[in-house]
Amino acid sequence: MLESFIVPLLAATVQSGTPILYATLGEILTEKGGILNLGVEGMMSMAAFVAFAVAYTTGNPWLAFICGGLAGTVMAMLHGFVCITCLGNQVVSGLALTILGVGLCNFLGTPFIGLAAPGFSKFAVPVLSSIPYLGKIFFRQDALVYFCYFIPFIFMIFMNRTRLGIAITAVGEKPGAAAAAGLKAVKLRWMALLGGGFLIGLGGAYLSLAYTHLWANGLAGGRGWIAVALVIFAFWRPGRAVFGAYLFGGVMAFQLRLQAIGTHIPSSLLLMLPYALTILVLIFSAVRGRGGNAPSHLGINIEPEG
Amino acid sequence: MRKLMIMVIVAAMSVMMATACFAGAKKDKIKVGFVYVSPVADAGYSYAQDQGRIAIDKLPYVESSFVESVAEGTDSERVVLNFARKGYDIIFGTSFGYMDPMVKISKKFPNVAFMHCSGFKTTPNMSNYFGRMYQARYLTGMVAGMMTKDNVIGYVAAFPIPEVIRGINAFALGAQAVNPKATVRVVWTKTWYNPALEKDAAISLLDMGADVIAQHQDSPGPQEAAQERGKYSIGYNSDMSKLAPKSHLTSAIWNWAPLFTNVVEQVRDGVWQGNESLWWGMDQGVVDISPFSSMVPKEVQDKVLAAKKEIKAGNNAIFVGPIKDQAGKVVVPAGQTMEDGKLLGMSWFVEGVVGNTE
Amino acid sequence: MLGYRLQKRDEPWSWGAPIIVVGALVLSLGISALLLKLQGKSAVEGLFVLWQGSFGASWALEDALLKSIPIFLCALGVATAFRMQVWNIGAEGQFALGAIGATWAALNFPDLPGYLLMPLMFFSAAVFGGFWAYIPAILRLKLKVNEIISTLMLNYIAILLLEYLVFGVWKDPKSYGFPVTPEFTGGAVIGQIGDSRLHWGFVVCIGAGLGMWAFMRFTRLGFDIKVAGEGQRVAMYSRLPYGKLTILVMAISGALAGWAGCIETSAVVNRLQPSIMVGYGYTAIVVAWLARLHPLYIAISAYLLAALRVGVENMQLELQIPAAFGSIMEGLILMSVLAGQMLVTYKIRRKK
């Protein structure tokens, strides 16, 4: 049971949680600075396409991965132009970004459908992969998954221990006070937004470079929306984001396996599991008195003076 | 009695009038419109239909157009209507959910020929068409049955509708015909097209011990999963060998060109009629299997090709009794063949399939 | 930056809104035309065909009106919740539940005459949709569960619930196993208005729009909602029952989305099938915000968005332009309208 069911299940969990985790962390960074970005789905799609196109033309997957991140940044720039520069509504801008991103990558991506490009394959980390059970779960993945193990830690240190991270948090909470304290509120918002966009882009790039090695319409498949939801689920904390992303990925993998065993529960009900569980965990946290508030200036634009 | 007579005459006359609209009216130029449910670029089901469209578009007297990503419901009604308004002579609606809107509109445009794919309703100027994909499924099932070592075959499937269930059953029957111990495990994804999810579904089947993966999905996600694990895979829609060269054995493929060509020729000659159901099979070339990969041994190939010949000749209807359901109850008694009406509404799995149809 | 800065206008630019919309349209159509050029299609022809498809014929106008009905109702609903800063992005799920509610009534009382069955369907659609919105409302009030996440998750669950019903217990035995419910009986079908393709659901839209406008403008409750929209603290100081108001706006929101689901099922497909879910609930959010939550503007923007979508189909049909092109245009238009709205309240000044 353990060898044949649980270990493969958890290994699949790590993989299916990884793109969501990248995107969730990116969105946390964005929102910490006070910008609500509902364009994650469109950004991931676009990044997945750009990464694939770069991998196909240059043959260099690492370059492609970085370019995927940059595609996310460029998309975030559009959002920033509308919301930060032009003070547009963040909700609509984000939704429009999703519509635009999904459309654009389908439009541009047509010639790339059915092509093969180099990507990341799974390999065993020496020594670590021979740890019983854990080795099979965590250390027989691809390079981008290993890379992703470090990000929450870096993220935590960045947010809590560096001046820049603390300043970004301050801007998301009280831009007025932050500005009075000599912080450049608008500039910090831009940095959080673009940095977050880069992480979201990496999540998208993961989909076309490692999760699958192909380009196809709809590759993001709703993961961007899950990331938006998981930010709230995580109470804007990277640690809980890890938990949320793996939980969601794990339940999805679990229901597929329940089907593969041959259960008699209708598949529609099984597919509800990840969504229902997300709500249940939130309720459970709430009952235990846990909770977290959004950055208090989330979604509110900073108006220029004068 | 007289009333009845009048009614019969009126009915007969209206049928004649309906056919008269087409009969005799030869056309030099035919405009054909296609309505697809998904983007044609996806290399899936709509792509296969569009290949058929491209084939007839090359005919000198045909002019064609299409609208893709049309949702069933209001959108499809509007798009079909627009084709009719713009004077298209034939309208192909390629998704099941277009049926009711097409029935509605066909009544308003008696001079337009409506062709609906995969449904069951017809009108005097609307016929339906489909392909006996299950014949190709049966053959790919034979390949899988002979190539599996652990006797577990995984099948990633979209929605539990008759078309898909029929395919799975035929596949299982094919596998069992050559390997009585073969079982087919089914995972539903509830999506036609989601590459990453389909790949996950295939991985879950591989983890459960499947060593051949088949699919009724539009994306190559399952193929990739099989290739990564060093197992075998069987494709669908069009030849998927390029997408997973190390795992791909063969694909069950569509080839709509012969059927579409036949329809436009009939309309051109003024002999096309509604109220018909074209359910074409391998003998007319609408469905087929793609060339075998070099991994498939010669004797397997020969056996499958022999079976293909039998099917083409009409000697193997595939759903021939005795067929048991999952509970082991005989549903089709020995010697009987399931009729088309039953096949069209198939909603139960044959013995040897693991999974449920809900 | 760049030597320019924004300066707040003393009064909002009164002719700003229409000018900006036109300007934004010109800009985004220009970019779209460029994309067309890149594809080797004639840009002028493309835009002409788009215009023809959206506004060029009486049936085009009718088609767009028809398509805007569910978008309008959902947007009207979410706008009510947004007024109170309750972020209901669950119109999609509430739409599904409304469709389920209406179908439940239609399937269980097929023999009732239309004048009884129709109100019953609308009633149960409102109750089902309202209930689906009540869940996140109560979770937010009692447990502080963020409604963005709960409504989003409930959307997925609602669609799967609809599929479960249609693939299971409600499947029409005569449909050859296809996932559709039996066709509704005559009394359960919303009919067409005269000879047009427009159905009576359109009248429901007008009624709902006027009703919501009057409700927000003339009633005490409507006023309270607006006040409570200033924040929970303001509501507390004004001694408003914040919790009850939250539940009320969510219920209204859900009920309106539910009606949209009911109309779509009854008038358009005459039965329940999974394909009625095409994302109107999400479109509604865009429409509501673009219209600044005002019923009349919601009607206008719902109609324009529907017209754009209908027009894009015409481009596909005539010029074989891929469907994705439509999303690109929609995204561009939305973003440029949004960016341009700044000019209503701000002037661009050269830095001294």
Side-chain angles (χ1 to χ4, degrees), chain A residues 1-20:
Chain A
M1 181 70 184
L2 192 62
E3 268 305 320
S4 67
F5 190 82
I6 294 178
V7 170
L9 169 65
L10 292 177
T13 298
V14 170
Q15 178 163 41
S16 72
T18 298
I20 308 177

Side-chain angles (χ1 to χ4, degrees), chain A residues 2 90 215 231 235 239:
Chain A
L2 192 62
Q90 298 181 8
W215 164 249
V231 171
F235 304 138

Side-chain angles (χ1 to χ4, degrees), chain A residues 280-294:
Chain A
L280 285 179
V281 171
L282 268 181
I283 293 175
F284 185 66
S285 311
V287 171
R288 283 177 44 195
R290 299 260 176 94
N293 287 326

Side-chain angles (χ1 to χ4, degrees), chain B residues 216-356:
Chain B
H216 195 133
Q217 298 277 175
D218 286 353
S219 101
Q223 305 291 315
E224 230 189 55
Q227 174 163 296
E228 271 176 28
R229 293 287 181 94
K231 307 288 184 185
Y232 295 128
S233 65
I234 285 167
Y236 171 55
N237 278 322
S238 49
D239 188 346
M240 287 184 159
S241 57
K242 257 194 351 202
L243 298 158
K246 288 180 208 142
S247 67
H248 181 267
L249 300 173
T250 180
S251 290
I253 58 173
W254 290 107
N255 174 25
W256 289 110
L259 195 150
F260 292 176
T261 311
N262 180 274
V263 171
V264 290
E265 277 171 355
Q266 285 191 2
V267 172
R268 180 196 58 187
D269 301 340
V271 295
W272 183 87
Q273 285 188 3
N275 276 334
E276 275 191 54
S277 293
L278 308 180
W279 204 10
W280 285 18
M282 217 163 235
D283 49 339
Q284 279 132 319
V286 164
V287 300
D288 205 344
I289 54 173
S290 69
F292 296 106
S293 130
S294 56
M295 288 175 291
V296 183
K298 183 79 173 50
E299 62 267 26
V300 174
Q301 295 192 13
D302 289 344
K303 223 169 173 178
V304 175
L305 289 177
K308 181 175 164 180
K309 220 177 227 167
E310 287 293 296
I311 291 174
K312 269 185 140 172
N315 297 333
N316 182 359
I318 293 167
F319 290 101
V320 183
I323 299 175
K324 292 181 191 163
D325 67 6
Q326 276 176 307
K329 201 182 89 191
V330 177
V331 181
V332 185
Q336 275 188 28
T337 303
M338 267 181 96
E339 55 200 90
D340 280 1
K342 287 255 170 64
L343 282 179
L344 213 51
M346 201 169 213
S347 56
W348 48 273
F349 277 145
V350 301
E351 195 175 33
V353 177
V354 182
N356 71 64

